[in-house]
Amino acid sequence: MAVDYTVIVVYLAGMLAMGWWGMRRAKSKSDFLVAGRRLGPTMYSGTMAAIVLGGASTIGGVGLGYQYGLSGAWMVFTIGLGLLALSLFFSARIARLKVYTVSEMLDLRYGGRAGVISGLVMWAYTLMLAVTSTIAYATIFDVLFDMNRTVAIVLGGSIVVAYSTLGGMWSITLTDMVQFVVKTIGVLLLLLPIAVVKAGGFSEMKAQLPTGYFDPLGIGGETIFTYVLIYTFGMLIGQDIWQRVFTAGSDRTAKWGGTVAGTYCLVYALAGAVIGTAAKVLYPKLASPDDAFATIVKDELPVGVRGLVLAAALAAVMSTSSGALIACATVANNDIWSRLRGAVRPGATQGGDHDEVKGNRLFILVMGIAVICTAIALNNVVEALTVAYNLLVGGLLVPILGGLLWKRGTAQGALAAVAVGGLAVVGLMATYGILANEPVYYGLLASLAVYVIVSLATPATDAAVLAAWRERLAGRGSEPAAELKEESVTR
C-alpha cells in the first residue's frame, strides 16, 4: 500500500497548498465568497460538477447500483436533471442579481422581510449537508489506513476547514477543479472499465444477475418520483449551488457551463450504477451495499491505480464538504448574525474589504468545528442527508420559485410558506419517520397552499420593490459598493 499511501498524501498536501494560494487572492468579500464573480466556462463547469457529485453520489451511487442494478443511477441522474434545469432556465437571472445568498434574493423580491427565517432554514440544510460529507471521511480512511472513525472525521474535516478558511471560494474553486479531474480519471476512466472487465463484461453480468438489474425503472416509480422531488428541485434552490452560480463571469458561462456540468452528472450516474452492478457479480453477499465501492477498489485494482481511485472518492467528498461549509458560513454570517445584530442591510458592506474577509473567515472556522463535532456524534449519513433536503424543499422551494415565476407572491405569503412548510416537514418526520416519503410530499403541498392563499389575501408587493427586482434581474440594478470598486480596478 506504500504507493497508494503516497498518492493520497500528495493529494492532501496539494489541497492545503491550494488553500494557501487562495489566501493570497482573497482580498475582498466578493473574492472570498464568490471568487470575484469572474470564473470562465471551463473552471465553472468543473467546479459545479465537483460540488454536486459528492460522497453520496460516488459511494452511495455505486451502492445503489449494487442493490438495484442500472436503475440505481436514478438518484445521481435526478441531481444532473436538477442542475440542467437550473442552468438552462434560472442561472442567468440568478447570476445577474449580484447577491451572496438565497435569502438576499428573497429580500430583494419581497421587500426585505424574509431574510432571517429563510436563513435559518438554509443554514440547517447546509450544515447537515456538510455533516453528511464529513461523515463519509470515516469510510474512505478506514479503507486506506484502518483508522478509527473519530480520527478519520477529524483528519478529513480539518483539511477541508483549513483550505476553506484560508482562501474561501478561490481556494475551494481551485481544489474543486483538481478534484473534478481526479474524479474523472479515477472513476470514469479507470474504475468503470476495470470493474466491467473483472466482472466478465456485460454479457457475463447479464447471465449472472436477475433481469431486474437491467430494468431502467427497477428501483420503483415512487422512489424515482421522490428523488426528483428532493434532488432535482433541491438543485434549484440550495445555497451551496447558488453560491457557485454567483461565481460565473457572465450569463453565458452560468447557462452553458452549468449545462455541461449537468450532462457530466448524467454520465457519472450511469457509471456508478454500472460499477455497482459489476460489484454485485464479484461480491454477491456484501453486508451492506455501501461497502461495494470500497471493496471493489481494495480487491480488484492494481497498486497506484487503487490510490488514485481512493483519492477520487476523497475528492468527491471534499468538494461537497467544502462547498457546503462555505455556504453554511455565508448564511450564518450574512443572513443570520448580521441581521440579528442590525449591522447592515442585505447586500451592503460592513466595512473595509479586510474586515469582510476576516469576518467570513472566522465564520468558516467556527462552522467547520461545529460540522466536525456534529459528524462525530451522528452515524447515519442517509438520515442526515434526508433531513437536510426535506427541510430545504419543504421550507424554501415554494417561496423561491414563486418569487421567480409569480409576481403576485407577497412577503407575507413567503414567510408563511417557509414557516408552515418547515414545521410540517419536521412534524411529519417525527410522525412517519425520517426516511419516509410523506414528510416532503405533505410539507411541500402545505407550503404551496399557504403561499398562494396568504399572497392572494394580502396586498400585492409594492410596485417600487418589483421594479427594483426587475432591474436587478435584467442586470441593471445597483451592486454592492465593494463589487463596484473591484470591477473598476479589474477594468
Side-chain angles (χ1 to χ4, degrees):
M1 295 285 288
V3 176
D4 296 326
Y5 291 163
T6 301
V7 172
I8 298 298
V9 170
V10 169
Y11 169 76
L12 294 177
M15 295 300 100
L16 292 174
M18 289 172 197
W20 184 261
W21 176 88
M23 183 176 67
R24 301 177 63 185
R25 296 204 63 170
K27 303 298 184 182
S28 68
K29 179 180 180 180
S30 178
D31 279 333
F32 194 81
L33 295 183
V34 290
R37 304 189 196 273
R38 55 179 183 265
L39 294 191
T42 301
M43 188 77 78
Y44 180 85
S45 298
T47 57
M48 182 62 86
I51 188 177
V52 299
L53 296 174
S57 300
T58 303
I59 298 172
V62 172
L64 287 171
Y66 182 89
Q67 189 172 2
Y68 298 105
L70 298 185
S71 67
W74 272 105
M75 184 186 77
V76 183
F77 200 83
T78 55
I79 290 173
L81 292 178
L83 186 52
L84 285 171
L86 173 71
S87 301
L88 291 171
F89 302 118
F90 299 107
S91 63
R93 283 186 284 176
I94 291 170
R96 286 196 294 265
L97 289 174
K98 300 295 184 184
V99 295
Y100 292 104
T101 67
V102 174
S103 293
E104 286 186 28
M105 166 265 169
L106 291 174
D107 277 346
L108 283 171
R109 167 60 181 81
Y110 295 111
R113 304 179 202 174
V116 174
I117 294 178
S118 61
L120 286 170
V121 175
M122 189 64 77
W123 174 79
Y125 156 72
T126 53
L127 179 71
M128 295 306 292
L129 186 63
V131 166
T132 59
S133 301
T134 304
I135 291 174
Y137 294 127
T139 301
I140 299 171
F141 282 111
D142 178 59
V143 175
L144 284 170
F145 308 115
D146 193 23
M147 187 180 289
N148 174 270
R149 178 181 183 276
T150 299
V151 175
I153 289 173
V154 171
L155 175 60
S158 296
I159 292 171
V160 170
V161 171
Y163 73 70
S164 300
T165 301
L166 285 172
M169 187 59 84
W170 270 121
S171 293
I172 293 171
T173 296
L174 187 59
T175 55
D176 276 0
M177 195 63 198
V178 174
Q179 288 158 358
F180 168 74
V181 173
V182 171
K183 278 191 289 191
T184 300
I185 296 173
V187 176
L188 297 185
L189 301 184
L190 293 176
L191 182 57
L192 175 61
I194 290 174
V196 172
V197 170
K198 291 283 186 178
F202 285 104
S203 58
E204 183 65 21
M205 290 162 63
K206 288 184 177 180
Q208 293 287 335
L209 297 173
T211 55
Y213 267 74
F214 302 91
D215 179 0
L217 304 178
I219 198 170
E222 183 179 355
T223 299
I224 294 171
F225 178 74
T226 303
Y227 284 159
V228 170
L229 198 61
I230 293 177
Y231 297 115
T232 300
F233 285 111
M235 288 295 106
L236 298 180
I237 59 174
Q239 170 68 25
D240 52 321
I241 309 301
W242 277 41
Q243 200 156 345
R244 294 310 173 96
V245 175
F246 299 152
T247 66
S250 66
D251 295 356
R252 185 177 178 83
T253 294
K255 183 175 183 177
W256 298 113
T259 301
V260 170
T263 304
Y264 178 89
C265 291
L266 304 183
V267 175
Y268 200 88
L270 184 59
V274 171
I275 292 168
T277 304
K280 183 67 175 179
V281 174
L282 296 168
Y283 312 99
K285 295 183 179 180
L286 291 178
S288 169
D290 285 341
D291 293 337
F293 181 87
T295 303
I296 196 170
V297 169
K298 194 174 183 179
D299 293 350
E300 303 297 336
L301 299 185
V303 172
V305 173
R306 178 171 51 204
L308 183 59
V309 173
L310 287 172
L314 198 57
V317 175
M318 283 187 161
S319 57
T320 301
S321 180
S322 58
L325 177 59
I326 193 171
C328 179
T330 302
V331 170
N333 187 14
N334 290 269
D335 294 338
I336 301 175
W337 173 246
S338 293
R339 295 164 195 258
L340 288 177
R341 69 177 185 165
V344 294
R345 293 172 52 204
T349 58
Q350 296 181 31
D353 288 341
H354 176 74
D355 292 336
E356 290 281 2
V357 173
K358 183 179 178 181
N360 283 290
R361 185 174 282 139
L362 177 61
F363 265 86
I364 291 180
L365 179 61
V366 172
M367 290 298 106
I369 294 171
V371 165
I372 292 172
C373 293
T374 306
I376 292 172
L378 293 179
N379 287 313
N380 195 310
V381 177
V382 176
E383 288 189 357
L385 192 63
T386 302
V387 169
Y389 275 97
N390 281 354
L391 281 172
L392 177 69
V393 174
L396 291 178
L397 178 65
V398 169
I400 292 172
L401 292 188
L404 289 169
L405 301 174
W406 189 41
K407 67 178 181 180
R408 186 60 182 82
T410 66
Q412 295 88 340
L415 287 170
V418 173
V420 171
L423 290 173
V425 164
V426 172
L428 290 168
M429 282 192 293
T431 302
Y432 287 98
I434 289 176
L435 297 179
N437 293 328
E438 288 83 358
V440 72
Y441 293 168
Y442 300 146
L444 190 55
L445 288 174
S447 180
L448 177 60
V450 168
Y451 179 72
V452 173
I453 292 170
V454 174
S455 292
L456 292 175
T458 52
T461 304
D462 186 85
V465 171
L466 287 178
W469 165 253
R470 287 191 292 269
E471 286 292 300
R472 290 292 284 268
L473 278 180
R476 296 190 296 267
S478 59
E479 299 176 15
E483 291 191 26
L484 289 173
K485 175 184 175 183
E486 180 183 331
E487 282 195 9
S488 66
V489 171
T490 302
R491 290 170 183 165

